[in-house]
Amino acid sequence: MNYFPEEVLEHVFDFLKSHRDRNAVSLVCKSWYRVERFSRERVFIGNCYAINPDRLIERFPRLRSLTLKGKPHFADFNLVPHDWGGFVYPWIDAMAKRGVNLEELRLKRMVVSDEGLELLSRSFVNFKSLILVSCEGFTTDGLAAIASNCRFLRELDLQENEVEDHRGQWLSCFPDSCTSLVSLNFACLKGEVNLAALERLMARSCNLRSLKLNHAVPLDTLQKILAQAPQLVDLGTGSFVSDPDSETFRRLRTAIQKCASIKSLSGFLEVAPCCLPAIYPICLNLTTLNLSYAQGIHGSELIKLIRHCGKLQRLWILDCIGDKGLGVVASTCKELQELRVFPSDLHGDGHAAVTEEGLVAISAGCPKLHSLLYFCQQMTNAALITVAKNCPNFTRFRLCIINPTIPDPVTMQPLDEGFGAIVQSCKGLRRLSLSGLLTDQVFLYIGMYAEQLEMLSVAFAGDSDKGMLCVLNGCKKLKKLEIMDSPFGNLALLTDVGKYETMRSLWMSSCEVTLGGCKTLAKKMPRLNVEIINEGDQMEATPDDDRQKVEKMYLYRSLVGARRDAPDFVWTL
Amino acid sequence: MAKEDGEGSGTTGEHKGKKRNQVVGWPPVCSYRRKNSFNGGEVTKIYVKVSMDGAPFLRKIDLGTHKGYDDLAVALEKLFGCYGIGEALKDEDSSEFVPIYEDKDGDWMLVGDVPWEMFTESCKRLRIMKRSEAKTIEVLQAKNFLKEASKGG
């Protein structure tokens, strides 16, 4: 296949941005593999334990941007103990030692330490961008190191991390010479920031496009910042509380009116609803709106706001918007592509916030909808069938009925037919989360129709091993399967062991698999890490009793064998 | 529990008896969102007594409903109708108040030194002392000592 000199190949490969495309070309032949690996600068690693830092750097010497994911997805819901793993330090250390010219680091669900951040800030002269999502283990001291030492920092984006606040002055650590910031997001920080330092930093960051403040930044500071940064494209407010008759508020209104470029709005972590009209002028241009942390905005005010947002493509809100409110969304936001409706009350105290009605209205009014996360009180098969017909373009469909084993309240049937309609109609479906009363039948449908499915989340569903087997057999592109509290056991686990090498990972908790079954699997498949999470020494009593049920099992393919940083309560079989 | 015949029929939740909403991992709302969204819903109640020098009776406050020291300062100021507690936390020398708390070991500590979560776990009661009343000069001395020690760091 060597019709072209390598320089030409490399030039062609430059056009390939997605890692999937690059992975594909590297498999064509040895010479393409070689050209590709020397030219790849951005690497995505979906499971940090599938490979190790040395081999990564060995293969991709020109590495400049690294994305790493650590803990399994169910760690988000407190199912994974705190010290399970996912430490980024060894990666930073290895890259520093081997002289990698790292410019970007993106981490999700990893444990990040202050030492790691300090090392990161000192080791890579051209470091530009740090994005941390759902990480933990660091404090504002680590942020101070980043601010102090990364001379060309463009992006510091902290999304939903657990950060210990050490009441230091991390924001003041950005030197006066730092003018390169394009994106700053510290909304998840709990502590105070030095407001004067923030204002000065904003004033000298003329390339700033994205800013998300935390709850400690008052409206007065926001007004001053906006007055100097009318070029902002993405804004997350902190506190949005003021006296509407005050001078401060008047100045805010003026400043906002000049912000003609804002397309994305979020925050309102504290909010006085009477202040909301100040943002109506920018609502017209909004393509993204995230009010999912704005508890202070009630249904009627939400609706008033939404009526101004005709161009919305992405909307994240709380279920206090109600079915009627979703009807307004459906008639106003014709360009809507992604909708997430979060619960405002976890205990389902009976007040029906949103139901199937709201979802049906959305599906009828928003034909471009392709991504959904919907927490609701109830759902019917009829509604799901209608939604499937109205919106055949779903790529992500996540439904969470707060009480997960209730049937269709109208027919008292399981929701198999409804989800069946979804998978049959949405031929491009890549991600699916199920809830409600479900039998093996739904898995039969999934195995039969969900040809593009890559990720499936299951809870309290199915009757027997058949269910899980249908999925493993039928979904050829399955990458991640996570199951909790469902009656799948060793038969399902062991029937097609080769399947797991085609997947990134499998999680099973509170199912019927036994220690013996897991041991058998581990023995047959040496290139899988089969981890048992044994919290509270549930299994200590008789470690050789293979009939014991395994409370939590997480298995994943790996090229580097069992990890060496597993804590005592994690057994790699 | 698993039906061997695999004939899926409309079995109505014969699964476990525990309430679904008390199962770990359900509903699938990520822990950051749980901690930062639900007003008091997910947070344990930590009621402690608060006394203020000169006030005729004590009050009680729920530390669990507050996100941090500044939040707490605002609440205390409202409770006793006084101002200056927030300042006291930022710069102890300027305010006429000294907020202290009794920890698990029975020692009286100055409010604000340790991370918030650590504070809520160990605080048994609060006292807002007037600086002029400081019989507990030891506390202030200890604080100065700590200040000097930290300057070296």
Side-chain angles (χ1 to χ4, degrees):
Chain A
M1 271 284 260
N2 254 348
Y3 302 128
F4 301 111
E6 293 195 346
E7 295 80 30
V8 177
L9 275 179
E10 188 175 327
H11 184 66
V12 171
F13 291 171
D14 267 350
F15 292 97
L16 297 175
K17 301 299 174 199
S18 106
H19 65 273
R20 289 186 191 202
D21 289 339
R22 282 191 159 260
N23 291 345
V25 304
S26 66
L27 292 174
V28 167
C29 64
K30 283 206 174 112
S31 109
W32 282 38
Y33 177 89
R34 197 175 55 242
V35 173
E36 196 283 317
R37 73 176 257 254
F38 282 112
S39 64
R40 194 184 311 203
E41 294 178 343
R42 316 178 66 88
V43 178
F44 169 86
I45 295 177
N47 174 7
C48 65
Y49 290 120
I51 192 69
N52 66 32
D54 286 327
R55 283 182 63 166
L56 166 72
I57 299 166
E58 191 63 50
R59 180 173 171 189
F60 300 115
R62 279 182 62 178
L63 176 66
R64 289 204 295 166
S65 163
L66 178 62
T67 302
L68 278 172
K69 292 188 178 181
K71 299 183 194 177
H73 175 236
F74 274 178
D76 282 352
F77 316 133
N78 296 326
L79 283 170
V80 176
H82 178 67
D83 326 319
W84 175 87
F87 307 105
V88 75
Y89 190 90
W91 295 84
I92 300 175
D93 188 47
M95 287 188 289
K97 286 199 171 102
R98 295 183 61 167
V100 169
N101 182 17
L102 191 69
E103 293 183 13
E104 286 180 5
L105 187 62
R106 273 147 226 237
L107 306 176
K108 187 167 185 179
R109 277 185 224 107
M110 294 203 68
V111 177
V112 182
S113 63
D114 285 343
E115 292 72 34
L117 291 175
E118 170 90 27
L119 183 62
L120 178 70
S121 73
R122 291 194 187 283
S123 310
F124 308 105
V125 233
N126 293 317
F127 193 74
K128 294 192 175 66
S129 164
L130 180 64
I131 301 181
L132 302 178
V133 181
S134 301
C135 297
E136 51 163 358
F138 61 105
T139 77
T140 45
D141 293 344
L143 297 178
I146 297 286
S148 306
N149 304 325
C150 299
R151 291 172 53 211
F152 303 114
L153 193 70
R154 288 207 203 132
E155 184 170 26
L156 178 60
D157 186 355
L158 307 171
Q159 300 175 28
E160 304 197 341
N161 303 288
E162 291 291 338
V163 186
E164 204 175 287
D165 184 63
H166 277 186
R167 314 193 88 217
Q169 297 284 328
W170 70 274
L171 211 100
S172 315
C173 293
F174 282 105
D176 290 339
S177 54
C178 174
T179 57
S180 48
L181 272 181
V182 173
S183 166
L184 178 64
N185 172 5
F186 60 93
C188 64
L189 295 189
K190 299 176 198 142
E192 303 270 301
V193 289
N194 183 324
L195 298 177
L198 174 63
E199 287 170 37
R200 286 196 305 272
L201 178 64
M202 297 293 98
R204 62 181 186 273
S205 302
C206 35
N207 294 315
L208 194 72
R209 290 283 174 281
S210 171
L211 177 66
K212 291 180 182 160
L213 309 167
N214 77 346
H215 74 96
V217 180
L219 191 132
D220 186 45
T221 306
L222 173 66
Q223 165 266 122
K224 288 184 193 153
I225 293 173
L226 288 181
Q228 306 237 34
Q231 79 283 4
L232 273 181
V233 169
D234 178 11
L235 173 67
T237 72
S239 167
F240 205 75
V241 176
S242 177
D243 176 358
D245 295 323
S246 65
E247 177 63 19
T248 299
F249 191 70
R250 194 195 60 77
R251 282 201 215 117
L252 176 76
R253 293 190 84 132
T254 311
I256 288 186
Q257 263 152 8
K258 299 213 180 95
C259 294
S261 307
I262 294 184
K263 292 229 165 20
S264 170
L265 188 61
S266 60
F268 301 94
L269 309 174
E270 278 161 23
V271 52
C274 52
C275 295
L276 285 176
I279 61 164
Y280 290 168
I282 47 176
C283 286
L284 302 168
N285 293 324
L286 286 182
T287 55
T288 299
L289 180 60
N290 179 359
L291 297 176
S292 64
Y293 287 101
Q295 263 81 25
I297 308 180
H298 300 296
S300 53
E301 287 127 6
L302 258 182
I303 293 173
K304 256 197 278 179
L305 202 113
I306 299 277
R307 286 196 200 277
H308 289 86
C309 305
K311 291 195 188 149
L312 268 189
Q313 294 174 15
R314 208 198 226 171
L315 176 62
W316 293 21
I317 36 167
L318 293 170
D319 63 3
C320 54
I321 195 173
D323 284 331
K324 282 221 180 69
L326 289 177
V328 175
V329 173
S331 54
T332 311
C333 310
K334 294 306 188 185
E335 302 296 311
L336 198 66
Q337 297 179 23
E338 176 180 329
L339 174 67
R340 296 196 190 188
V341 181
F342 293 96
S344 39
D345 166 23
L346 279 188
H347 301 297
D349 284 342
H351 82 288
V354 292
T355 69
E356 75 275 10
E357 267 185 50
L359 185 59
V360 168
I362 292 283
S363 73
C366 308
K368 295 188 182 176
L369 192 67
H370 64 76
S371 174
L372 180 77
L373 171 62
Y374 196 77
F375 283 83
C376 60
Q377 297 291 330
Q378 64 179 47
M379 185 54 58
T380 64
N381 282 313
L384 285 174
I385 291 167
T386 305
V387 169
K389 219 185 321 170
N390 291 339
C391 292
N393 296 320
F394 274 116
T395 54
R396 291 183 200 83
F397 191 88
R398 296 193 279 164
L399 185 70
C400 177
I401 306 170
I402 299 273
N403 182 342
T405 54
I406 58 167
D408 177 329
V410 173
T411 63
M412 298 314 284
Q413 292 297 302
L415 290 175
D416 302 330
E417 297 306 311
F419 280 105
I422 294 286
V423 293
Q424 201 172 347
S425 164
C426 305
K427 307 217 186 299
L429 194 69
R430 295 199 312 262
R431 182 169 181 182
L432 178 65
S433 296
L434 308 171
S435 60
L437 183 67
L438 295 163
T439 72
D440 282 346
Q441 183 64 31
V442 73
F443 298 108
L444 200 78
Y445 287 138
I446 292 172
M448 221 189 311
Y449 295 114
E451 289 174 9
Q452 302 300 320
L453 195 66
E454 296 177 5
M455 181 170 178
L456 179 65
S457 306
V458 176
F460 307 103
D463 307 308
S464 75
D465 291 318
K466 248 176 88 174
M468 185 169 158
L469 282 170
C470 283
V471 171
L472 292 175
N473 260 332
C475 299
K476 301 298 180 202
K477 299 211 173 166
L478 194 65
K479 288 201 156 38
K480 288 190 281 187
L481 179 57
E482 48 187 24
I483 305 171
M484 60 179 272
D485 292 76
S486 300
F488 307 131
N490 293 339
L491 182 69
L493 184 69
L494 296 172
T495 296
D496 179 9
V497 294
K499 173 78 176 171
Y500 305 124
E501 272 190 9
T502 69
M503 291 167 57
R504 186 186 297 172
S505 66
L506 168 68
W507 168 282
M508 292 180 76
S509 60
S510 302
C511 297
E512 303 287 319
V513 293
T514 69
L515 186 56
C518 296
K519 282 183 181 172
T520 307
L521 177 57
K523 200 157 175 209
K524 284 190 184 172
M525 302 295 293
R527 284 191 304 188
L528 294 180
N529 283 350
V530 181
E531 294 188 8
I532 310 289
I533 297 174
N534 181 27
E535 277 175 294
D537 300 324
Q538 284 156 348
M539 301 184 79
E540 186 127 67
T542 39
D544 293 320
D545 184 355
D546 286 355
R547 290 163 306 174
Q548 293 178 87
K549 283 210 210 132
V550 166
E551 190 53 35
K552 292 176 186 173
M553 179 203 73
Y554 179 57
L555 67 83
Y556 52 91
R557 64 184 176 188
S558 175
L559 293 174
V560 292
R563 58 188 175 109
R564 279 171 243 157
D565 61 4
D568 290 334
F569 56 81
V570 172
W571 304 349
T572 305
L573 300 178
Chain B
M1 200 73 57
K3 292 180 86 177
E4 289 313 305
D5 59 27
E7 296 295 344
S9 55
T11 49
T12 43
E14 60 176 43
H15 300 273
K16 300 138 196 179
K18 48 190 167 177
K19 268 213 246 167
R20 294 303 163 222
N21 291 341
Q22 288 166 9
V23 174
V24 177
W26 194 267
V29 177
C30 75
S31 57
Y32 175 87
R33 195 172 280 281
R34 275 178 194 260
K35 283 182 200 161
N36 289 283
S37 299
F38 304 100
N39 300 318
E42 298 306 307
V43 177
T44 37
K45 298 214 175 291
I46 315 168
Y47 277 105
V48 297
K49 286 186 193 169
V50 190
S51 62
M52 170 145 150
D53 290 358
F57 40 79
L58 278 62
R59 303 295 301 269
K60 262 205 165 161
I61 196 167
D62 179 6
L63 294 179
T65 57
H66 298 288
K67 293 183 212 158
Y69 288 112
D70 305 289
D71 211 14
L72 176 68
V74 170
L76 290 173
E77 284 168 4
K78 278 204 205 129
L79 211 55
F80 290 104
C82 64
Y83 290 97
I85 300 178
E87 274 166 49
L89 289 172
K90 290 186 173 68
D91 177 2
E92 298 85 33
D93 298 330
S94 71
S95 166
E96 64 167 307
F97 297 109
V98 182
I100 56 177
Y101 70 100
E102 186 182 2
D103 74 357
K104 275 188 197 147
D105 301 324
D107 296 319
W108 284 94
M109 315 286 295
L110 192 64
V111 172
D113 286 334
V114 299
W116 174 254
E117 287 77 16
M118 207 184 284
F119 165 71
T120 58
E121 269 172 45
S122 57
C123 174
K124 288 279 155 280
R125 55 188 299 169
L126 274 163
R127 177 178 164 198
I128 302 168
M129 205 173 63
K130 282 223 177 105
R131 188 170 296 276
S132 53
E133 286 229 2
K135 278 185 245 173
T136 46
I137 291 176
E138 294 92 18
V139 172
L140 291 168
Q141 280 180 344
K143 186 66 179 113
N144 279 330
F145 169 75
L146 287 167
K147 232 194 216 166
E148 292 306 312
S150 72
K151 271 190 196 152

